[in-house]
Amino acid sequence: MKPFAYAMPFLILVPIVASPSLANDSTYTDLDTDRCKPLLPEDTEGGSLSLRCKGFKDHAVYFKEGDLRQSILYGPVSDTYIAGVFESFEPFNNATRKIEWRLDADGKPVATILRWFLDNIDPVTYQPSPKLKGQVLVVSKVADGTGQGCVVGYVDALANPDPNALARQVADARATNFVCGKDMAGYHGIRGPTAAEPTHVFPD
């Protein structure tokens, strides 16, 4: 396993322009982990989970949790990626349950957007602080014929005036041609102090 971690500045002024040939739209599904299929026996002591959940049509959602951190993949992901990929954040975190799927002009899902809550640590108490809780929209590539799906970008949901619109621009512009394990997934727009550092682990 090889770790990936990228430090990004707090203000990123990179324009995201979607191709005019795209006419992407959104649809939504709910992630119900109570109705998912376990892929591994639950580690009740360590709190780890690996689940296959219903997504959009025949595109499944793969949910993993370990050490109070979560990671999610989408679509026809390879067994190697299901077992070996874990993309999350440095602090404890959890994702919401409403998934936005970005569909191309043919109705095929190419990306997802999901809001995550980050339990940032107070530097004085060394405990998670509600005052420092972060919210980040995670934009992910839906796995394609290569079996590879991954995070393609992040938007600080607290620092940007219209974070959902920005996340859709990132999804439409970057997901299709993003190379998992090679291209860098960073923050787009304004990054505030509660948007914690992401973590990336990919198979060798």
Side-chain angles (χ1 to χ4, degrees):
M1 308 285 278
K2 55 180 180 179
F4 289 78
Y6 307 106
M8 303 298 291
F10 280 80
L11 179 61
I12 304 166
L13 300 176
V14 179
I16 299 295
V17 180
S19 167
S21 63
L22 293 178
N24 288 11
D25 199 0
S26 290
T27 190
Y28 299 84
T29 62
D30 293 315
L31 175 58
D32 185 355
T33 53
D34 291 334
R35 298 189 176 185
C36 298
K37 175 184 177 181
L39 298 179
L40 296 171
E42 181 179 354
D43 180 359
T44 53
E45 183 175 342
S48 15
L49 288 170
S50 182
L51 307 172
R52 185 182 190 276
C53 307
K54 180 176 175 55
F56 174 69
K57 295 186 176 179
D58 59 344
H59 288 73
V61 176
Y62 293 91
F63 175 94
K64 296 173 77 173
E65 181 170 278
D67 193 26
L68 298 179
R69 296 168 176 87
Q70 298 178 353
S71 177
I72 302 178
L73 296 170
Y74 306 88
V77 188
S78 69
D79 290 341
T80 299
Y81 260 52
I82 293 171
V85 171
F86 199 92
E87 294 190 279
S88 192
F89 294 90
E90 288 182 351
F92 298 150
N93 57 74
N94 65 282
T96 56
R97 295 300 183 248
K98 181 69 69 175
I99 302 170
E100 178 176 358
W101 300 76
R102 291 297 284 171
L103 312 178
D104 66 13
D106 297 321
K108 176 184 176 182
V110 295
T112 63
I113 301 169
L114 187 61
R115 186 180 298 256
W116 293 60
F117 292 97
L118 313 180
D119 294 326
N120 293 304
I121 300 296
D122 188 314
V124 176
T125 65
Y126 299 102
Q127 297 294 325
S129 169
K131 296 185 297 183
L132 300 177
K133 199 174 189 72
Q135 294 186 37
V136 175
L137 299 181
V138 177
V139 182
S140 298
K141 175 175 182 170
V142 176
D144 52 20
T146 66
Q148 298 181 352
C150 58
V151 175
V152 305
Y154 306 90
V155 173
D156 186 339
L158 300 180
N160 291 278
D162 194 348
N164 295 89
L166 179 55
R168 292 178 191 121
Q169 292 177 31
V170 175
D172 297 349
R174 289 178 61 82
T176 300
N177 297 318
F178 194 90
V179 180
C180 296
K182 178 180 178 182
D183 292 339
M184 182 173 65
Y187 277 92
H188 296 266
I190 300 170
R191 179 182 177 184
T194 63
E197 192 66 23
T199 60
H200 308 265
V201 175
F202 286 94
D204 293 330

